[in-house]
Amino acid sequence: SCFFSYDFWDDCRQGGDGLGYYVYLPSFFIHKDIGTYNKTIVALRKYNPNAQDFDADIYGFRKTSIGKLANKYPIGLAILQSPFFFAGHFYTKIDSRFESDGFSKPYQIATFFSTFLYVLLGLWFLIKVLNKYFSTNVINLTILILAFGTNLYYFSYFGTAMSHGYQFAIVCLYIYFNDKYLDQKTIKYGILLGVFSGLIVIIRQPDIIFLLISVFWNVNSIKKLKDRFKFYFGDLKNLFFPLIGFIAITSLQIYSYYFISGKLYYYSYIGESFNWKHPEIYKGLFYTGNGWFAYTPVMLFAIFGLIIKNSSRKVWFLSLITILPLHIYITYSWWCWYYIAGFGSRPMVDIYPLCSFAIASFLTWLFASNNILKLFFGSILLFFTILNLKFTFQQHKGILYSQFNNKG
């Protein structure tokens, strides 16, 4: 599929959100003009002649009170893309056809494929956690549903410049190291849990609610909830090591804020806000303009999985039943609740690692059911998966433009 998306390879990080997330790298490491971007814009215009001056782009860069340009996008994706950026930079040094300016083809191709590779890494770690609680057949089908039946597919191969494929992978890793830390309580797993907690926050700050997984994971009673708080706060060394990893990562974003604004925290989405009193939840879930279930109906089975009781439920249920409603409320309280270039409500991709446990729970029930139910629900799953692939192809080819679709 990556090869079918070749027409995105050359310029996916030369404009829009992709540029905003990526531009830290060429600006910091090559042009050394963070805060002004004067040299960076010159390099960019070799490939995107119509690129606006950064100080004129009111949607991405705004002057702070100390006169520097603040990039509204957080630095988390730049950190994840950096190994691929350096690979592209190295290639330009050995191939004279390409300039070492941060925007030529080697940089674009390397960072394009970074999303796909991070998603694969995330799926691998997700399988390792699922393997503790579900059968091999259930896990295999769960992964296939995630990979081909949801809009994760689109954001892994086509919309790779967005944050959601990366965040999916980081949440998978967070769940894995959370499970490991609670089980083995080692310094290594504690620090890694903190690192991936921090990455979640500096990729998409609203996703800080995912850290509640550490509170509710494998908790199914008041006693276990009290024990979890006692684990972290009764013996502070259990909190210390995750906190070290968390601070190490989030301090990079804090320093970035301080450098461009003189403040430890700077709200960079000026003019954009949440409408907490009037969230567009129904439209966000069902509307033909990027509604979650309208374009990714297979995720309805995650909702069904919430009501099915099995032995694994105690592990993930309280986390999902707490975080999913919060995530829906926050997502659809945003002023642009339909999310431009969203294809099926792109912020929902971030919570798919947690939803995968509910899907696996549903499949466990289905595998134990009679042949009639297997045929019935299996046909629906197949239909929904094919529908997602059809929508993905149409979105990629410009036949479908999901954010402006109507019922017709």
Side-chain angles (χ1 to χ4, degrees):
S1 293
C2 282
F3 293 97
F4 289 122
S5 58
Y6 68 91
D7 46 337
F8 288 129
W9 291 5
D10 289 357
D11 59 3
C12 60
R13 284 154 180 84
Q14 292 177 0
D17 288 11
L19 172 64
Y21 288 119
Y22 170 76
V23 75
Y24 291 105
L25 295 170
S27 180
F28 183 81
F29 290 107
I30 298 176
H31 306 295
K32 306 186 188 309
D33 61 352
I34 290 279
T36 65
Y37 301 98
N38 292 332
K39 296 178 182 177
T40 301
I41 188 63
V42 173
L44 174 61
R45 282 186 177 144
K46 297 174 190 173
Y47 311 94
N48 181 3
N50 297 321
Q52 289 182 308
D53 287 334
F54 286 120
D55 60 1
D57 182 0
I58 62 171
Y59 297 104
F61 299 82
R62 300 170 177 91
K63 277 196 176 181
T64 67
S65 59
I66 63 174
K68 292 181 178 178
L69 279 180
N71 180 352
K72 80 173 183 179
Y73 299 94
I75 66 171
L77 255 64
I79 292 171
L80 294 182
Q81 291 175 358
S82 59
F84 301 87
F85 166 83
F86 290 124
H89 189 65
F90 174 77
Y91 188 85
T92 65
K93 296 297 185 182
I94 61 175
D95 190 334
S96 59
R97 293 178 301 166
F98 305 105
E99 293 192 47
S100 302
D101 56 11
F103 295 103
S104 58
K105 184 178 286 189
Y107 298 98
Q108 300 297 304
I109 293 177
T111 52
F112 177 90
F113 279 96
S114 69
T115 314
F116 172 66
L117 294 174
Y118 274 115
V119 169
L120 283 183
L121 180 68
L123 288 171
W124 186 61
F125 276 93
L126 181 60
I127 289 169
K128 289 165 76 72
V129 185
L130 290 169
N131 194 49
K132 289 181 63 175
Y133 307 109
F134 300 99
S135 70
T136 300
N137 288 338
V138 164
I139 294 168
N140 290 340
L141 187 52
T142 300
I143 296 303
L144 284 173
I145 288 170
L146 285 178
F148 299 105
T150 74
N151 50 346
L152 173 64
Y153 181 82
Y154 179 83
F155 290 105
S156 300
Y157 300 116
F158 303 109
T160 67
M162 295 293 187
S163 65
H164 309 288
Y166 296 96
Q167 188 73 311
F168 170 87
I170 297 305
V171 174
C172 288
L173 286 154
Y174 165 73
I175 289 174
Y176 173 81
F177 287 113
N178 176 68
D179 191 75
K180 281 289 188 182
Y181 185 55
L182 293 175
D183 186 34
Q184 299 185 21
K185 304 175 181 62
T186 64
I187 294 173
K188 176 180 72 173
Y189 288 133
I191 292 174
L192 287 170
L193 172 61
V195 165
F196 289 104
S197 300
L199 283 170
I200 286 172
V201 174
I202 67 171
I203 291 173
R204 291 194 78 245
Q205 292 175 15
D207 289 350
I208 193 172
I209 60 170
F210 292 178
L211 305 194
L212 290 172
I213 292 172
S214 291
V215 177
F216 296 123
W217 191 255
N218 208 4
V219 168
N220 65 339
S221 68
I222 297 297
K223 182 183 180 302
K224 284 196 172 184
L225 184 60
K226 289 179 179 178
D227 289 343
R228 181 59 47 80
F229 278 98
K230 190 181 295 184
F231 171 74
Y232 279 116
F233 299 105
D235 188 350
L236 288 178
K237 79 173 188 296
N238 292 328
L239 181 63
F240 177 75
F241 296 112
L243 197 58
I244 288 295
F246 181 82
I247 291 172
I249 293 297
T250 55
S251 62
L252 299 173
Q253 183 67 70
I254 293 170
Y255 176 76
S256 175
Y257 286 144
Y258 186 78
F259 177 78
I260 54 95
S261 71
K263 302 174 183 177
L264 295 179
Y265 181 78
Y266 174 77
Y267 185 75
S268 57
Y269 281 75
I270 297 170
E272 302 176 78
S273 61
F274 293 92
N275 186 355
W276 301 115
K277 293 183 178 180
H278 302 286
E280 296 282 4
I281 292 175
Y282 178 80
K283 287 184 178 179
L285 294 177
F286 299 106
Y287 191 55
T288 52
N290 269 342
W292 184 30
F293 294 130
Y295 291 93
T296 310
V298 76
M299 292 308 293
L300 287 166
F301 289 102
I303 307 302
F304 296 157
L306 284 168
I307 62 176
I308 292 172
K309 293 183 179 181
N310 56 43
S311 59
S312 74
R313 196 170 187 260
K314 66 179 182 180
V315 177
W316 53 267
F317 177 78
L318 195 54
S319 295
L320 185 55
I321 201 67
T322 303
I323 296 170
L324 181 59
L326 282 173
H327 187 57
I328 288 172
Y329 173 67
I330 293 169
T331 296
Y332 301 123
S333 293
W334 186 240
W335 72 272
C336 186
W337 57 267
Y338 50 89
Y339 292 91
I340 296 170
F343 186 59
S345 199
R346 54 186 165 85
M348 298 309 294
V349 173
D350 304 355
I351 202 171
Y352 287 176
L354 192 53
C355 289
S356 69
F357 290 85
I359 293 173
S361 180
F362 170 79
L363 293 175
T364 299
W365 169 81
L366 183 61
F367 280 17
S369 300
N370 60 53
N371 289 334
I372 294 175
L373 287 174
K374 286 179 182 176
L375 180 62
F376 177 72
F377 284 111
S379 299
I380 295 174
L381 279 168
L382 180 61
F383 173 72
F384 283 168
T385 299
I386 293 172
L387 193 64
N388 177 74
L389 293 173
K390 175 188 174 184
F391 286 155
T392 301
F393 174 80
Q394 290 177 329
Q395 182 87 351
H396 170 53
K397 292 297 183 182
I399 301 168
L400 177 72
Y401 202 39
S402 58
Q403 72 200 46
F404 296 126
N405 267 14
N406 55 40
K407 293 180 181 178

